[in-house]
Amino acid sequence: MSLVATAPVLVPLATAALTALVSGRVRTQQAISFVGVLGFLAAAVMLVAQVSAGAPASAAFGDWVPPYGIQFQLDGLSSVLVLVTALMGLASLLFLASDADPGLRHPLLLPLVHGTLAGVAGAFSTADLFNLYVWFEGMLICALGLIALGGRRDQLDAAFKYLGLNLFGTLLLLAAVGLLYAATGHLNYSALAVAAREVDPVLLHVLLAALAVGLLLKSAAFPLYAWLPASYPTLPAPVLALFAGLLTKVGVYAVLRTLGDVFMPAGAGLFEVLGWVAAATMVAGVLGAAYHWDMRRILAFHIVSQIGYILLAVALGGVGGNAAALFYTVHHIVVKANLFLIAGMLATLAGSYDLRRIGGMAAARPALALLFAVPALSLVGIPPLSGFWAKLLVLQEAFAQGRFAWGALGLAVSVLTLYSMMKIWLEAFWKRHPDAGDADVAWQPRRVALAPAWLATCMLAAVTLAIGLAPQTLIEFARDAAATLGRR
């Protein structure tokens, strides 16, 4: 068994268990949590290094060889996503150590956070369709716990909405997995790829369509995205950033892994429909963001919108489309998480998430205004930030394939994204704070301890700048990873 292949899951699982055991001792629990997330990050770095060197990262459990045993198998696609998952865990836990929108300090908060990280890493690591479902549900259970943890009425309402729609996706996903097993006799990815060639094409398309719908619901794609903006804004900023960065990306990854890899080229027949679903997702998300005034809801709808870009890249397919999907996913995880963290800092300093009730932050905290500009402009796609290269790869591939309608919608959505980011800038940073009045004395934000929050957000901004200023490394890695897909 390869320790490198299993450590990214075992470390957060062990950390979740240990933090639960010491839940009555706050400092000990926090220390274990930080050691665990640093160990997770170290394991993820070693994993990427090994995969980049061309060495396999695989593990089979229970002395059963594939395709009958449970298997972890990580390639370039999954290994880099495990690394970004560890980075998001570190950023969220650093932010949690500050006084920026901390929410409820519940003894189960850290165990559930590490359980969520383990579920995400497991979904990225598994090479088995049923265990993909299992890790999805492990992630869902921990996410539900985090949403309902405070016990407030709005949190319980959000948990009910999150559970209701996701249970539908769960049942559909499980039914599709069971029927695919009945049709092929296998669950292992490589064995499924071979066995699917013997299945009646019409039946296979029906089963893959059911699988895709279940995964698209968990990705918050149109029209099945209502659960996300209804549930995410009730979370405290560090947990919200973790959710925003990772959870929907697991669904998108599963779509790419199944349709673009395991069942390729059988899944290619669904790409036309997927492309139009992606286009509708982009438009619906950005229109929802333009409508709202609460920063959390604006950014939550932008998760939906940006998921559309990634799904569009998956629908374009081939090495170019799959590479664009991977690049865009890495960029968006970092940028979106950082925007939620900065929004948490803004709300703590200015007193509210509602843009109509805050302002004056550019004069009071110019460094925060500059920090906000990095992920905000990257989300829009302004060069030379990471979002520019991500959108360029997607749109370049769309126009190269003659998908002019999809490309034009992508450009239009970028303009509306700029409107939303300018709305936050003008309302939160540029205008006077409503409490400032006409007094000569300048309005001053609240005094809170934000050093760990600054460290977390500056770290993510530095990653965004590094990708933007030197994109070729990630582009080449993404192309190499994409070149291996669909060749089972």
Side-chain angles (χ1 to χ4, degrees):
M1 181 184 298
S2 171
L3 181 61
V4 174
T6 56
V9 176
L10 294 179
V11 171
L13 278 177
T15 307
L18 289 173
T19 51
L21 288 173
V22 299
S23 58
R25 289 172 281 177
V26 176
R27 291 187 180 275
T28 303
Q29 189 186 50
Q30 290 176 339
I32 292 173
S33 176
F34 274 111
V35 170
V37 78
L38 290 173
F40 181 21
L41 182 61
V45 170
M46 289 189 291
L47 173 65
V48 171
Q50 178 172 318
V51 171
S52 298
S58 180
F61 300 90
D63 292 329
W64 288 87
V65 297
Y68 302 105
I70 297 172
Q71 183 185 20
F72 279 3
Q73 187 168 10
L74 294 109
D75 54 11
L77 172 63
S78 50
S79 64
V80 74
L81 292 177
V82 167
L83 176 59
V84 180
T85 299
L87 182 65
M88 291 306 100
L90 177 60
S92 296
L93 291 172
L94 275 174
F95 196 92
L96 192 62
S98 74
D99 292 334
D101 189 14
L104 180 68
R105 301 291 189 178
H106 195 281
L108 291 178
L109 175 63
L110 292 177
L112 288 172
V113 166
H114 287 282
T116 302
L117 292 174
V120 173
F124 290 149
S125 301
T126 187
D128 179 283
L129 193 59
F130 178 74
N131 283 283
L132 175 68
Y133 158 79
V134 170
W135 289 112
F136 256 120
E137 297 321 299
M139 185 178 71
L140 172 65
I141 291 169
C142 291
L144 273 171
L146 287 167
I147 293 172
L149 201 57
R152 300 195 316 264
R153 184 171 181 175
D154 64 325
Q155 291 175 318
L156 296 177
D157 179 66
F160 178 77
K161 292 173 181 175
Y162 185 91
L163 176 63
L165 283 172
N166 273 277
L167 272 181
F168 172 73
T170 291
L171 292 173
L172 189 58
L173 178 60
L174 182 60
V177 170
L179 290 171
L180 281 166
Y181 176 69
T184 63
H186 289 286
L187 292 167
N188 180 271
Y189 287 163
S190 297
L192 274 171
V194 175
R197 298 167 192 163
E198 306 301 322
V199 179
D200 178 72
V202 176
L203 174 62
L204 184 60
H205 269 81
V206 171
L207 298 180
L208 292 181
L211 180 69
V213 172
L215 295 175
L216 288 173
L217 190 153
K218 294 180 179 293
S219 304
F222 179 87
L224 306 170
Y225 63 86
W227 59 268
L228 191 152
S231 57
Y232 278 22
T234 63
L235 292 162
V239 180
L240 176 51
L242 192 69
F243 277 40
L246 296 177
L247 298 197
T248 53
K249 310 311 180 299
V250 178
V252 173
Y253 164 81
V255 173
L256 176 57
R257 177 62 76 188
T258 52
L259 298 186
D261 181 24
V262 175
F263 296 105
M264 189 67 187
L270 300 172
F271 283 178
E272 181 72 23
V273 176
L274 181 62
W276 288 109
V277 168
T281 303
M282 287 190 292
V283 174
V286 80
L287 290 178
Y291 173 78
H292 285 281
W293 288 89
D294 186 295
M295 286 187 287
R296 293 166 300 184
R297 293 194 178 278
I298 292 172
L299 296 175
F301 273 101
H302 273 303
I303 299 173
V304 177
S305 178
Q306 300 297 306
I307 286 295
Y309 281 97
I310 305 173
L311 290 174
L312 178 59
V314 175
L316 292 169
V319 173
N322 292 339
L326 176 55
F327 190 104
Y328 207 115
T329 301
V330 172
H331 139 76
H332 186 249
I333 289 173
V334 175
V335 164
K336 181 54 67 177
N338 206 14
L339 281 170
F340 275 108
L341 294 179
I342 295 171
M345 295 171 70
L346 275 170
T348 301
L349 292 167
S352 176
Y353 277 102
D354 192 329
L355 293 173
R356 294 165 292 191
R357 299 179 181 178
I358 62 177
M361 292 304 300
R365 293 290 187 272
L368 187 60
L370 181 62
L371 179 63
F372 169 79
V374 174
L377 294 177
S378 184
L379 189 74
V380 174
I382 302 298
L385 298 169
S386 61
F388 168 75
W389 301 106
K391 289 188 176 179
L392 178 65
L393 290 173
V394 176
L395 297 178
Q396 181 177 270
E397 189 66 22
F399 288 124
Q401 293 189 20
R403 298 293 190 171
F404 299 110
W406 295 353
L409 282 173
L411 290 172
V413 168
S414 289
V415 175
L416 290 173
T417 304
L418 175 62
Y419 166 77
S420 296
M421 294 302 103
M422 287 299 298
K423 183 178 178 180
I424 295 176
W425 168 262
L426 292 173
E427 296 292 329
F429 290 96
W430 193 250
K431 78 173 187 190
R432 290 170 62 86
H433 195 283
D435 294 343
D438 297 325
D440 293 333
V441 179
W443 171 82
Q444 291 296 322
R446 299 174 179 178
R447 294 184 178 273
V448 288
L450 294 181
W454 276 103
L455 179 59
T457 50
C458 287
M459 176 182 70
L460 296 182
V463 173
T464 299
L465 286 169
I467 295 174
L469 295 174
Q472 199 58 37
T473 300
L474 183 55
I475 290 174
E476 290 178 358
F477 186 94
R479 284 178 176 161
D480 290 342
T484 66
L485 300 181
R487 296 184 177 181
R488 294 178 184 271

